[in-house]
Amino acid sequence: MTVDMRSFLQQIKKTNDIFTVKKRVSTKYEIAAVTEKLDGSKAALFENVKGSKFKLISNLVGSRDRFAQAICSKKSDINQKIVRAISSAKKPKISKTAKFFENSSKDISILPIVTHFQNESGPFITSSILYTRNQEKKSQNSSFHRLMPIGKNQFSIRMVEGRDLHRSFMFAKKHGEDLPIAITVGVHPAISIASAFQAKWGKNELEIANSLMNNKLTLTKCPSTGLLVPSTAEIVMEGKILRNKTHKEWMVEMLRTYDMPRPAPVIQIEKLYFRNNPIYHDILSGYTEARLLMGMPIEAKLNSIMKKKFPQTKQVILTSGGANWLHAVVQISKAQSTNVKKIISETFANHRSLKMVTVVDDDIDPTDAVAVEFAMATRFQADKDLVIIKNVRGSSLDPSSDQKKLRTTKMGIDATIPVSKRPEGFKLGKIPKAKTNLKDYLKK
């Protein structure tokens, strides 16, 4: 099991899973353009970034195979590994030393922060994990937040209202205080996976990360804030979210659509630490790495819950077409007594952002969009098998929804074989297996 981002890079180099760029590249659009070309395939290591002494890695866990390499042995084990880590989380070990103390600065402009898309309000750090204290539960929270630099020692920060960091920020603000925070950039993927998970209020995501890493995670206390961060992080910053200052920003979201401009709180950075020969991690928003980091922990949670409540559930997939967030396909082994509409309702209940749930039989591959559409074409009747749920809470990411009130309409589709129909009429024709080599048929 690897313990930091560097050792993980060495691991995927052995499988020829890194595309190394030695050419000098710009942080303005060029890195994003190369990463886009590699979406769904190799990680990209940029060794010569214009205006920076930092190397840069992108598309780090930009495929399910590499996602699996970070925490387990194969893709089919991902969900089980995440579920087990959530239920059996243990406190990491504490170390007084850390390699990120090798260098320090107060100037965030030394970081190779990438400008990804046209018409965004600026460049953004997209892999940044923020750590803060949960004042009510006396615990520590970790979560992903994008940061836009404002000068040499400030960032604007995007927070979702009601989520853990925002609740801690509002608690501090109510008490007339700024909120102390620490930030890491460049950590082992298991830490990113755990920090992307929306754990229960008061749950420490670093304990989940430790379990994903087979209890090999160590933490080090930051000098100013006292917050604990991964000892092997490439870059660590300390500072505070100011209670009374905002800065307008807008960005491309997970769906690869532009969010609306809005005032965002401001972070004051007091110290920046980084390792020798540092490696900066960039995530291209709206592409596979970002979607897997957000979606896979939720997919694991849905599989755990649905299989317990409905044993006929084979697997739950958050689809690529739904940005691994808004659409789910539930594969079941249907019996005469199966209540598909109840399965649809329960799936919606356990991931509020879902907009569409499609249920298919176990002969349909839920990861194959063509197969799922085929099931809809041949097993679904809209007047009987369609579920419409109007005016309910949805995702703030969906631009078609009422984003002010966060209301949307959800749709469930029963694309399983109707029990009233002759099952043989839905079976796909099969050709008996035989050893055939097309080259043999070219011979006279």
Side-chain angles (χ1 to χ4, degrees), residues 5 9 18-21 25-27 30-32 34-35 43-50 52-60 111-116 124 126-127 185 235 277-284:
M5 191 175 75
L9 290 177
I18 291 185
F19 181 83
T20 301
V21 180
V25 293
S26 171
T27 56
E30 189 175 8
I31 287 173
V34 174
T35 303
L45 178 63
F46 299 90
E47 294 187 335
N48 188 357
V49 179
K50 184 179 179 182
S52 178
K53 295 180 180 179
F54 290 64
K55 293 180 182 179
L56 186 147
I57 186 76
S58 67
N59 205 34
L60 183 61
L111 301 174
I113 304 175
V114 176
T115 302
H116 302 91
F124 284 92
T126 49
S127 69
V185 177
I235 301 160
N277 305 309
I279 306 172
Y280 177 95
H281 180 204
D282 182 67
I283 297 174
L284 185 56

mmCIF file of all heavy atoms in Angstrom, residues 5 9 18-21 25-27 30-32 34-35 43-50 52-60 111-116 124 126-127 185 235 277-284:
data_model
loop_
_atom_site.group_PDB
_atom_site.id
_atom_site.type_symbol
_atom_site.label_atom_id
_atom_site.label_comp_id
_atom_site.label_asym_id
_atom_site.label_seq_id
_atom_site.Cartn_x
_atom_site.Cartn_y
_atom_site.Cartn_z
ATOM 1 N N MET A 5 1.464 10.691 -2.270
ATOM 2 C CA MET A 5 1.199 10.851 -3.695
ATOM 3 C C MET A 5 2.390 10.409 -4.529
ATOM 4 O O MET A 5 2.241 9.815 -5.602
ATOM 5 C CB MET A 5 0.834 12.305 -4.003
ATOM 6 C CG MET A 5 0.289 12.501 -5.403
ATOM 7 S SD MET A 5 -0.284 14.180 -5.718
ATOM 8 C CE MET A 5 1.283 15.038 -5.908
ATOM 9 N N LEU A 9 2.538 7.652 -7.513
ATOM 10 C CA LEU A 9 3.031 7.940 -8.862
ATOM 11 C C LEU A 9 4.021 6.874 -9.317
ATOM 12 O O LEU A 9 4.002 6.436 -10.474
ATOM 13 C CB LEU A 9 3.684 9.320 -8.910
ATOM 14 C CG LEU A 9 2.753 10.533 -8.787
ATOM 15 C CD1 LEU A 9 3.564 11.828 -8.789
ATOM 16 C CD2 LEU A 9 1.733 10.561 -9.906
ATOM 17 N N ILE A 18 1.369 6.771 -16.799
ATOM 18 C CA ILE A 18 1.670 8.204 -16.715
ATOM 19 C C ILE A 18 2.191 8.704 -18.063
ATOM 20 O O ILE A 18 3.065 8.080 -18.670
ATOM 21 C CB ILE A 18 2.710 8.513 -15.618
ATOM 22 C CG1 ILE A 18 2.128 8.275 -14.234
ATOM 23 C CG2 ILE A 18 3.177 9.960 -15.706
ATOM 24 C CD1 ILE A 18 3.058 8.663 -13.099
ATOM 25 N N PHE A 19 1.640 9.824 -18.498
ATOM 26 C CA PHE A 19 2.108 10.518 -19.688
ATOM 27 C C PHE A 19 2.971 11.684 -19.202
ATOM 28 O O PHE A 19 2.461 12.623 -18.589
ATOM 29 C CB PHE A 19 0.905 11.024 -20.499
ATOM 30 C CG PHE A 19 1.255 11.739 -21.771
ATOM 31 C CD1 PHE A 19 1.517 11.038 -22.936
ATOM 32 C CD2 PHE A 19 1.302 13.132 -21.810
ATOM 33 C CE1 PHE A 19 1.818 11.697 -24.112
ATOM 34 C CE2 PHE A 19 1.602 13.801 -22.975
ATOM 35 C CZ PHE A 19 1.870 13.080 -24.134
ATOM 36 N N THR A 20 4.289 11.597 -19.426
ATOM 37 C CA THR A 20 5.213 12.611 -18.917
ATOM 38 C C THR A 20 5.458 13.689 -19.965
ATOM 39 O O THR A 20 5.820 13.396 -21.107
ATOM 40 C CB THR A 20 6.549 11.975 -18.505
ATOM 41 O OG1 THR A 20 6.300 10.985 -17.500
ATOM 42 C CG2 THR A 20 7.502 13.027 -17.939
ATOM 43 N N VAL A 21 5.238 14.941 -19.568
ATOM 44 C CA VAL A 21 5.409 16.090 -20.457
ATOM 45 C C VAL A 21 6.665 16.847 -20.036
ATOM 46 O O VAL A 21 6.704 17.450 -18.959
ATOM 47 C CB VAL A 21 4.182 17.027 -20.407
ATOM 48 C CG1 VAL A 21 4.375 18.222 -21.329
ATOM 49 C CG2 VAL A 21 2.909 16.266 -20.772
ATOM 50 N N VAL A 25 5.305 24.202 -20.394
ATOM 51 C CA VAL A 25 3.874 24.419 -20.607
ATOM 52 C C VAL A 25 3.370 25.583 -19.763
ATOM 53 O O VAL A 25 3.926 25.911 -18.715
ATOM 54 C CB VAL A 25 3.053 23.155 -20.277
ATOM 55 C CG1 VAL A 25 3.341 22.034 -21.263
ATOM 56 C CG2 VAL A 25 3.316 22.692 -18.841
ATOM 57 N N SER A 26 2.292 26.183 -20.218
ATOM 58 C CA SER A 26 1.676 27.304 -19.522
ATOM 59 C C SER A 26 0.528 26.823 -18.644
ATOM 60 O O SER A 26 -0.206 25.898 -19.008
ATOM 61 C CB SER A 26 1.154 28.319 -20.541
ATOM 62 O OG SER A 26 0.368 29.314 -19.898
ATOM 63 N N THR A 27 0.371 27.496 -17.499
ATOM 64 C CA THR A 27 -0.771 27.187 -16.633
ATOM 65 C C THR A 27 -2.070 27.742 -17.207
ATOM 66 O O THR A 27 -3.149 27.367 -16.752
ATOM 67 C CB THR A 27 -0.560 27.775 -15.226
ATOM 68 O OG1 THR A 27 -0.333 29.183 -15.336
ATOM 69 C CG2 THR A 27 0.602 27.109 -14.518
ATOM 70 N N GLU A 30 -3.204 25.662 -21.334
ATOM 71 C CA GLU A 30 -2.450 24.593 -21.987
ATOM 72 C C GLU A 30 -2.476 23.304 -21.182
ATOM 73 O O GLU A 30 -2.703 22.213 -21.736
ATOM 74 C CB GLU A 30 -1.010 25.038 -22.236
ATOM 75 C CG GLU A 30 -0.225 24.060 -23.097
ATOM 76 C CD GLU A 30 1.174 24.549 -23.464
ATOM 77 O OE1 GLU A 30 1.608 25.592 -22.920
ATOM 78 O OE2 GLU A 30 1.830 23.881 -24.283
ATOM 79 N N ILE A 31 -2.236 23.395 -19.867
ATOM 80 C CA ILE A 31 -2.280 22.197 -19.026
ATOM 81 C C ILE A 31 -3.673 21.573 -19.067
ATOM 82 O O ILE A 31 -3.821 20.343 -19.167
ATOM 83 C CB ILE A 31 -1.847 22.534 -17.587
ATOM 84 C CG1 ILE A 31 -0.334 22.770 -17.544
ATOM 85 C CG2 ILE A 31 -2.246 21.426 -16.608
ATOM 86 C CD1 ILE A 31 0.192 23.277 -16.219
ATOM 87 N N ALA A 32 -4.689 22.398 -19.019
ATOM 88 C CA ALA A 32 -6.067 21.894 -19.083
ATOM 89 C C ALA A 32 -6.336 21.204 -20.417
ATOM 90 O O ALA A 32 -7.010 20.162 -20.468
ATOM 91 C CB ALA A 32 -7.056 23.043 -18.876
ATOM 92 N N VAL A 34 -4.161 19.672 -22.434
ATOM 93 C CA VAL A 34 -3.486 18.372 -22.477
ATOM 94 C C VAL A 34 -4.230 17.359 -21.603
ATOM 95 O O VAL A 34 -4.432 16.203 -21.996
ATOM 96 C CB VAL A 34 -2.016 18.505 -22.018
ATOM 97 C CG1 VAL A 34 -1.358 17.132 -21.930
ATOM 98 C CG2 VAL A 34 -1.237 19.397 -22.975
ATOM 99 N N THR A 35 -4.654 17.793 -20.425
ATOM 100 C CA THR A 35 -5.394 16.909 -19.514
ATOM 101 C C THR A 35 -6.691 16.438 -20.155
ATOM 102 O O THR A 35 -7.071 15.265 -20.028
ATOM 103 C CB THR A 35 -5.694 17.634 -18.185
ATOM 104 O OG1 THR A 35 -4.463 18.090 -17.608
ATOM 105 C CG2 THR A 35 -6.399 16.716 -17.202
ATOM 106 N N ALA A 43 -2.546 9.412 -16.411
ATOM 107 C CA ALA A 43 -2.254 10.631 -15.651
ATOM 108 C C ALA A 43 -1.220 11.437 -16.429
ATOM 109 O O ALA A 43 -0.461 10.883 -17.226
ATOM 110 C CB ALA A 43 -1.722 10.275 -14.270
ATOM 111 N N ALA A 44 -1.200 12.748 -16.208
ATOM 112 C CA ALA A 44 -0.253 13.623 -16.904
ATOM 113 C C ALA A 44 0.681 14.269 -15.893
ATOM 114 O O ALA A 44 0.220 14.935 -14.961
ATOM 115 C CB ALA A 44 -0.999 14.688 -17.702
ATOM 116 N N LEU A 45 1.990 14.071 -16.084
ATOM 117 C CA LEU A 45 2.989 14.678 -15.223
ATOM 118 C C LEU A 45 3.735 15.749 -16.021
ATOM 119 O O LEU A 45 4.441 15.444 -16.982
ATOM 120 C CB LEU A 45 3.981 13.639 -14.703
ATOM 121 C CG LEU A 45 5.110 14.165 -13.812
ATOM 122 C CD1 LEU A 45 4.547 14.783 -12.530
ATOM 123 C CD2 LEU A 45 6.109 13.051 -13.477
ATOM 124 N N PHE A 46 3.562 17.005 -15.618
ATOM 125 C CA PHE A 46 4.198 18.140 -16.287
ATOM 126 C C PHE A 46 5.458 18.506 -15.500
ATOM 127 O O PHE A 46 5.377 18.952 -14.353
ATOM 128 C CB PHE A 46 3.236 19.322 -16.354
ATOM 129 C CG PHE A 46 1.971 19.029 -17.126
ATOM 130 C CD1 PHE A 46 0.851 18.516 -16.480
ATOM 131 C CD2 PHE A 46 1.905 19.268 -18.488
ATOM 132 C CE1 PHE A 46 -0.311 18.249 -17.178
ATOM 133 C CE2 PHE A 46 0.746 19.008 -19.204
ATOM 134 C CZ PHE A 46 -0.365 18.486 -18.549
ATOM 135 N N GLU A 47 6.626 18.321 -16.120
ATOM 136 C CA GLU A 47 7.891 18.518 -15.414
ATOM 137 C C GLU A 47 8.475 19.915 -15.580
ATOM 138 O O GLU A 47 9.417 20.271 -14.874
ATOM 139 C CB GLU A 47 8.909 17.477 -15.898
ATOM 140 C CG GLU A 47 8.516 16.049 -15.527
ATOM 141 C CD GLU A 47 9.605 15.050 -15.846
ATOM 142 O OE1 GLU A 47 10.432 15.334 -16.750
ATOM 143 O OE2 GLU A 47 9.632 13.982 -15.201
ATOM 144 N N ASN A 48 7.917 20.705 -16.483
ATOM 145 C CA ASN A 48 8.476 22.040 -16.761
ATOM 146 C C ASN A 48 7.327 23.040 -16.933
ATOM 147 O O ASN A 48 6.862 23.286 -18.043
ATOM 148 C CB ASN A 48 9.342 21.981 -18.021
ATOM 149 C CG ASN A 48 10.116 23.272 -18.263
ATOM 150 O OD1 ASN A 48 9.985 24.254 -17.524
ATOM 151 N ND2 ASN A 48 10.913 23.294 -19.311
ATOM 152 N N VAL A 49 6.863 23.586 -15.810
ATOM 153 C CA VAL A 49 5.733 24.511 -15.820
ATOM 154 C C VAL A 49 6.258 25.949 -15.851
ATOM 155 O O VAL A 49 7.064 26.339 -14.995
ATOM 156 C CB VAL A 49 4.825 24.302 -14.585
ATOM 157 C CG1 VAL A 49 3.654 25.293 -14.613
ATOM 158 C CG2 VAL A 49 4.315 22.866 -14.545
ATOM 159 N N LYS A 50 5.807 26.693 -16.815
ATOM 160 C CA LYS A 50 6.256 28.071 -17.002
ATOM 161 C C LYS A 50 6.010 28.899 -15.735
ATOM 162 O O LYS A 50 4.929 28.920 -15.191
ATOM 163 C CB LYS A 50 5.517 28.699 -18.182
ATOM 164 C CG LYS A 50 5.960 30.103 -18.543
ATOM 165 C CD LYS A 50 5.181 30.613 -19.753
ATOM 166 C CE LYS A 50 5.590 32.032 -20.112
ATOM 167 N NZ LYS A 50 4.804 32.553 -21.272
ATOM 168 N N SER A 52 7.191 28.490 -12.700
ATOM 169 C CA SER A 52 7.081 27.781 -11.418
ATOM 170 C C SER A 52 8.191 26.744 -11.272
ATOM 171 O O SER A 52 8.643 26.156 -12.263
ATOM 172 C CB SER A 52 5.723 27.089 -11.299
ATOM 173 O OG SER A 52 5.631 26.372 -10.084
ATOM 174 N N LYS A 53 8.613 26.504 -10.049
ATOM 175 C CA LYS A 53 9.588 25.456 -9.754
ATOM 176 C C LYS A 53 8.901 24.141 -9.383
ATOM 177 O O LYS A 53 9.563 23.148 -9.106
ATOM 178 C CB LYS A 53 10.505 25.907 -8.618
ATOM 179 C CG LYS A 53 11.381 27.106 -8.987
ATOM 180 C CD LYS A 53 12.276 27.517 -7.834
ATOM 181 C CE LYS A 53 13.141 28.723 -8.214
ATOM 182 N NZ LYS A 53 14.018 29.162 -7.090
ATOM 183 N N PHE A 54 7.576 24.161 -9.362
ATOM 184 C CA PHE A 54 6.804 22.985 -8.996
ATOM 185 C C PHE A 54 6.526 22.116 -10.232
ATOM 186 O O PHE A 54 6.206 22.643 -11.298
ATOM 187 C CB PHE A 54 5.461 23.379 -8.387
ATOM 188 C CG PHE A 54 5.533 24.018 -7.029
ATOM 189 C CD1 PHE A 54 6.170 25.240 -6.841
ATOM 190 C CD2 PHE A 54 4.954 23.403 -5.940
ATOM 191 C CE1 PHE A 54 6.230 25.840 -5.598
ATOM 192 C CE2 PHE A 54 5.003 23.999 -4.675
ATOM 193 C CZ PHE A 54 5.645 25.211 -4.512
ATOM 194 N N LYS A 55 6.604 20.813 -10.079
ATOM 195 C CA LYS A 55 6.033 19.906 -11.078
ATOM 196 C C LYS A 55 4.523 19.867 -10.865
ATOM 197 O O LYS A 55 4.029 20.282 -9.805
ATOM 198 C CB LYS A 55 6.630 18.504 -10.938
ATOM 199 C CG LYS A 55 8.101 18.412 -11.282
ATOM 200 C CD LYS A 55 8.585 16.985 -11.114
ATOM 201 C CE LYS A 55 10.079 16.870 -11.409
ATOM 202 N NZ LYS A 55 10.577 15.481 -11.228
ATOM 203 N N LEU A 56 3.794 19.345 -11.846
ATOM 204 C CA LEU A 56 2.333 19.311 -11.726
ATOM 205 C C LEU A 56 1.810 17.984 -12.250
ATOM 206 O O LEU A 56 2.212 17.528 -13.323
ATOM 207 C CB LEU A 56 1.719 20.477 -12.500
ATOM 208 C CG LEU A 56 0.206 20.681 -12.383
ATOM 209 C CD1 LEU A 56 -0.153 22.170 -12.468
ATOM 210 C CD2 LEU A 56 -0.573 19.910 -13.453
ATOM 211 N N ILE A 57 0.905 17.371 -11.486
ATOM 212 C CA ILE A 57 0.244 16.135 -11.898
ATOM 213 C C ILE A 57 -1.246 16.407 -12.076
ATOM 214 O O ILE A 57 -1.860 17.115 -11.274
ATOM 215 C CB ILE A 57 0.471 14.991 -10.869
ATOM 216 C CG1 ILE A 57 -0.107 13.670 -11.378
ATOM 217 C CG2 ILE A 57 -0.099 15.346 -9.500
ATOM 218 C CD1 ILE A 57 0.709 13.002 -12.430
ATOM 219 N N SER A 58 -1.810 15.881 -13.149
ATOM 220 C CA SER A 58 -3.260 15.986 -13.357
ATOM 221 C C SER A 58 -3.805 14.635 -13.805
ATOM 222 O O SER A 58 -3.034 13.747 -14.181
ATOM 223 C CB SER A 58 -3.589 17.060 -14.402
ATOM 224 O OG SER A 58 -3.125 16.668 -15.685
ATOM 225 N N ASN A 59 -5.120 14.490 -13.749
ATOM 226 C CA ASN A 59 -5.774 13.224 -14.112
ATOM 227 C C ASN A 59 -5.235 12.054 -13.286
ATOM 228 O O ASN A 59 -5.126 10.925 -13.766
ATOM 229 C CB ASN A 59 -5.601 12.948 -15.612
ATOM 230 C CG ASN A 59 -6.699 12.057 -16.166
ATOM 231 O OD1 ASN A 59 -7.834 12.122 -15.728
ATOM 232 N ND2 ASN A 59 -6.361 11.226 -17.130
ATOM 233 N N LEU A 60 -4.903 12.331 -12.040
ATOM 234 C CA LEU A 60 -4.227 11.355 -11.176
ATOM 235 C C LEU A 60 -5.034 10.074 -10.999
ATOM 236 O O LEU A 60 -4.521 8.965 -11.153
ATOM 237 C CB LEU A 60 -3.929 11.984 -9.808
ATOM 238 C CG LEU A 60 -3.158 11.133 -8.814
ATOM 239 C CD1 LEU A 60 -1.781 10.755 -9.358
ATOM 240 C CD2 LEU A 60 -3.018 11.859 -7.484
ATOM 241 N N LEU A 111 2.789 29.075 -6.424
ATOM 242 C CA LEU A 111 2.082 27.851 -6.818
ATOM 243 C C LEU A 111 1.664 27.925 -8.287
ATOM 244 O O LEU A 111 1.209 28.977 -8.752
ATOM 245 C CB LEU A 111 0.848 27.638 -5.940
ATOM 246 C CG LEU A 111 1.092 27.511 -4.434
ATOM 247 C CD1 LEU A 111 -0.236 27.449 -3.691
ATOM 248 C CD2 LEU A 111 1.938 26.282 -4.125
ATOM 249 N N PRO A 112 1.745 26.816 -9.030
ATOM 250 C CA PRO A 112 1.351 26.806 -10.448
ATOM 251 C C PRO A 112 -0.159 26.635 -10.619
ATOM 252 O O PRO A 112 -0.644 25.622 -11.139
ATOM 253 C CB PRO A 112 2.121 25.608 -11.003
ATOM 254 C CG PRO A 112 2.199 24.659 -9.852
ATOM 255 C CD PRO A 112 2.324 25.518 -8.614
ATOM 256 N N ILE A 113 -0.911 27.635 -10.181
ATOM 257 C CA ILE A 113 -2.373 27.541 -10.178
ATOM 258 C C ILE A 113 -2.888 27.693 -11.607
ATOM 259 O O ILE A 113 -2.548 28.633 -12.319
ATOM 260 C CB ILE A 113 -2.985 28.601 -9.254
ATOM 261 C CG1 ILE A 113 -2.389 28.444 -7.840
ATOM 262 C CG2 ILE A 113 -4.505 28.458 -9.204
ATOM 263 C CD1 ILE A 113 -2.831 29.516 -6.858
ATOM 264 N N VAL A 114 -3.735 26.754 -12.024
ATOM 265 C CA VAL A 114 -4.118 26.614 -13.428
ATOM 266 C C VAL A 114 -5.385 27.402 -13.762
ATOM 267 O O VAL A 114 -6.356 27.399 -12.996
ATOM 268 C CB VAL A 114 -4.330 25.121 -13.772
ATOM 269 C CG1 VAL A 114 -4.820 24.944 -15.208
ATOM 270 C CG2 VAL A 114 -3.033 24.340 -13.546
ATOM 271 N N THR A 115 -5.346 28.075 -14.917
ATOM 272 C CA THR A 115 -6.560 28.635 -15.521
ATOM 273 C C THR A 115 -7.088 27.581 -16.490
ATOM 274 O O THR A 115 -6.412 27.228 -17.457
ATOM 275 C CB THR A 115 -6.263 29.941 -16.272
ATOM 276 O OG1 THR A 115 -5.680 30.881 -15.359
ATOM 277 C CG2 THR A 115 -7.533 30.536 -16.858
ATOM 278 N N HIS A 116 -8.289 27.071 -16.222
ATOM 279 C CA HIS A 116 -8.787 25.912 -16.956
ATOM 280 C C HIS A 116 -9.681 26.257 -18.141
ATOM 281 O O HIS A 116 -9.544 25.676 -19.215
ATOM 282 C CB HIS A 116 -9.572 24.998 -15.999
ATOM 283 C CG HIS A 116 -8.789 24.515 -14.836
ATOM 284 N ND1 HIS A 116 -8.742 25.191 -13.633
ATOM 285 C CD2 HIS A 116 -7.996 23.423 -14.678
ATOM 286 C CE1 HIS A 116 -7.981 24.533 -12.782
ATOM 287 N NE2 HIS A 116 -7.505 23.461 -13.386
ATOM 288 N N PHE A 124 -7.928 28.581 -10.589
ATOM 289 C CA PHE A 124 -8.425 27.969 -9.349
ATOM 290 C C PHE A 124 -7.529 26.811 -8.925
ATOM 291 O O PHE A 124 -7.066 26.035 -9.760
ATOM 292 C CB PHE A 124 -9.842 27.409 -9.542
ATOM 293 C CG PHE A 124 -10.932 28.444 -9.562
ATOM 294 C CD1 PHE A 124 -11.354 29.004 -10.765
ATOM 295 C CD2 PHE A 124 -11.524 28.874 -8.390
ATOM 296 C CE1 PHE A 124 -12.364 29.955 -10.799
ATOM 297 C CE2 PHE A 124 -12.534 29.826 -8.394
ATOM 298 C CZ PHE A 124 -12.952 30.365 -9.609
ATOM 299 N N THR A 126 -7.907 23.388 -7.607
ATOM 300 C CA THR A 126 -9.069 22.496 -7.667
ATOM 301 C C THR A 126 -8.913 21.229 -6.835
ATOM 302 O O THR A 126 -9.873 20.480 -6.663
ATOM 303 C CB THR A 126 -9.340 22.109 -9.126
ATOM 304 O OG1 THR A 126 -8.099 21.672 -9.726
ATOM 305 C CG2 THR A 126 -9.884 23.286 -9.916
ATOM 306 N N SER A 127 -7.698 20.978 -6.320
ATOM 307 C CA SER A 127 -7.468 19.771 -5.524
ATOM 308 C C SER A 127 -7.334 20.082 -4.039
ATOM 309 O O SER A 127 -6.945 19.213 -3.252
ATOM 310 C CB SER A 127 -6.187 19.069 -6.000
ATOM 311 O OG SER A 127 -5.057 19.851 -5.664
ATOM 312 N N VAL A 185 -2.548 20.475 -0.606
ATOM 313 C CA VAL A 185 -2.595 20.226 -2.048
ATOM 314 C C VAL A 185 -1.552 19.161 -2.340
ATOM 315 O O VAL A 185 -0.383 19.321 -1.990
ATOM 316 C CB VAL A 185 -2.274 21.498 -2.859
ATOM 317 C CG1 VAL A 185 -2.247 21.192 -4.353
ATOM 318 C CG2 VAL A 185 -3.273 22.607 -2.559
ATOM 319 N N ILE A 235 2.013 20.078 -0.235
ATOM 320 C CA ILE A 235 1.864 21.507 0.059
ATOM 321 C C ILE A 235 0.865 21.662 1.200
ATOM 322 O O ILE A 235 -0.193 21.026 1.198
ATOM 323 C CB ILE A 235 1.344 22.267 -1.181
ATOM 324 C CG1 ILE A 235 2.314 22.102 -2.357
ATOM 325 C CG2 ILE A 235 1.116 23.746 -0.870
ATOM 326 C CD1 ILE A 235 1.680 22.390 -3.703
ATOM 327 N N ASN A 277 11.438 19.633 -4.079
ATOM 328 C CA ASN A 277 10.968 19.153 -5.389
ATOM 329 C C ASN A 277 9.459 18.892 -5.374
ATOM 330 O O ASN A 277 9.004 17.787 -5.677
ATOM 331 C CB ASN A 277 11.724 17.883 -5.800
ATOM 332 C CG ASN A 277 13.221 18.085 -5.800
ATOM 333 O OD1 ASN A 277 13.714 19.031 -6.400
ATOM 334 N ND2 ASN A 277 13.941 17.196 -5.122
ATOM 335 N N PRO A 278 8.669 19.896 -5.015
ATOM 336 C CA PRO A 278 7.234 19.693 -4.788
ATOM 337 C C PRO A 278 6.451 19.366 -6.060
ATOM 338 O O PRO A 278 6.820 19.772 -7.159
ATOM 339 C CB PRO A 278 6.785 21.045 -4.217
ATOM 340 C CG PRO A 278 7.752 22.019 -4.799
ATOM 341 C CD PRO A 278 9.064 21.301 -4.862
ATOM 342 N N ILE A 279 5.373 18.611 -5.861
ATOM 343 C CA ILE A 279 4.481 18.242 -6.962
ATOM 344 C C ILE A 279 3.087 18.769 -6.632
ATOM 345 O O ILE A 279 2.491 18.408 -5.619
ATOM 346 C CB ILE A 279 4.427 16.720 -7.171
ATOM 347 C CG1 ILE A 279 5.844 16.151 -7.350
ATOM 348 C CG2 ILE A 279 3.566 16.383 -8.393
ATOM 349 C CD1 ILE A 279 5.890 14.643 -7.362
ATOM 350 N N TYR A 280 2.587 19.626 -7.490
ATOM 351 C CA TYR A 280 1.268 20.241 -7.334
ATOM 352 C C TYR A 280 0.235 19.365 -8.047
ATOM 353 O O TYR A 280 0.479 18.878 -9.154
ATOM 354 C CB TYR A 280 1.316 21.637 -7.947
ATOM 355 C CG TYR A 280 0.025 22.421 -7.959
ATOM 356 C CD1 TYR A 280 -0.273 23.325 -6.942
ATOM 357 C CD2 TYR A 280 -0.874 22.302 -9.006
ATOM 358 C CE1 TYR A 280 -1.434 24.071 -6.960
ATOM 359 C CE2 TYR A 280 -2.049 23.041 -9.045
ATOM 360 C CZ TYR A 280 -2.327 23.928 -8.016
ATOM 361 O OH TYR A 280 -3.484 24.666 -8.057
ATOM 362 N N HIS A 281 -0.921 19.179 -7.430
ATOM 363 C CA HIS A 281 -1.987 18.361 -8.022
ATOM 364 C C HIS A 281 -3.105 19.260 -8.548
ATOM 365 O O HIS A 281 -3.631 20.088 -7.808
ATOM 366 C CB HIS A 281 -2.538 17.388 -6.976
ATOM 367 C CG HIS A 281 -3.632 16.494 -7.470
ATOM 368 N ND1 HIS A 281 -4.562 15.917 -6.632
ATOM 369 C CD2 HIS A 281 -3.961 16.080 -8.722
ATOM 370 C CE1 HIS A 281 -5.386 15.184 -7.333
ATOM 371 N NE2 HIS A 281 -5.050 15.271 -8.614
ATOM 372 N N ASP A 282 -3.453 19.080 -9.810
ATOM 373 C CA ASP A 282 -4.555 19.830 -10.416
ATOM 374 C C ASP A 282 -5.635 18.855 -10.869
ATOM 375 O O ASP A 282 -5.335 17.779 -11.400
ATOM 376 C CB ASP A 282 -4.054 20.645 -11.615
ATOM 377 C CG ASP A 282 -5.169 21.480 -12.241
ATOM 378 O OD1 ASP A 282 -5.635 22.418 -11.576
ATOM 379 O OD2 ASP A 282 -5.576 21.164 -13.379
ATOM 380 N N ILE A 283 -6.889 19.226 -10.640
ATOM 381 C CA ILE A 283 -8.033 18.412 -11.073
ATOM 382 C C ILE A 283 -8.846 19.223 -12.076
ATOM 383 O O ILE A 283 -9.223 20.365 -11.791
ATOM 384 C CB ILE A 283 -8.912 18.018 -9.873
ATOM 385 C CG1 ILE A 283 -8.126 17.149 -8.896
ATOM 386 C CG2 ILE A 283 -10.164 17.276 -10.343
ATOM 387 C CD1 ILE A 283 -8.865 16.830 -7.606
ATOM 388 N N LEU A 284 -9.104 18.643 -13.244
ATOM 389 C CA LEU A 284 -9.866 19.335 -14.278
ATOM 390 C C LEU A 284 -11.357 19.160 -14.017
ATOM 391 O O LEU A 284 -11.915 18.072 -14.195
ATOM 392 C CB LEU A 284 -9.486 18.801 -15.661
ATOM 393 C CG LEU A 284 -10.112 19.506 -16.868
ATOM 394 C CD1 LEU A 284 -9.817 21.004 -16.858
ATOM 395 C CD2 LEU A 284 -9.635 18.871 -18.173
#
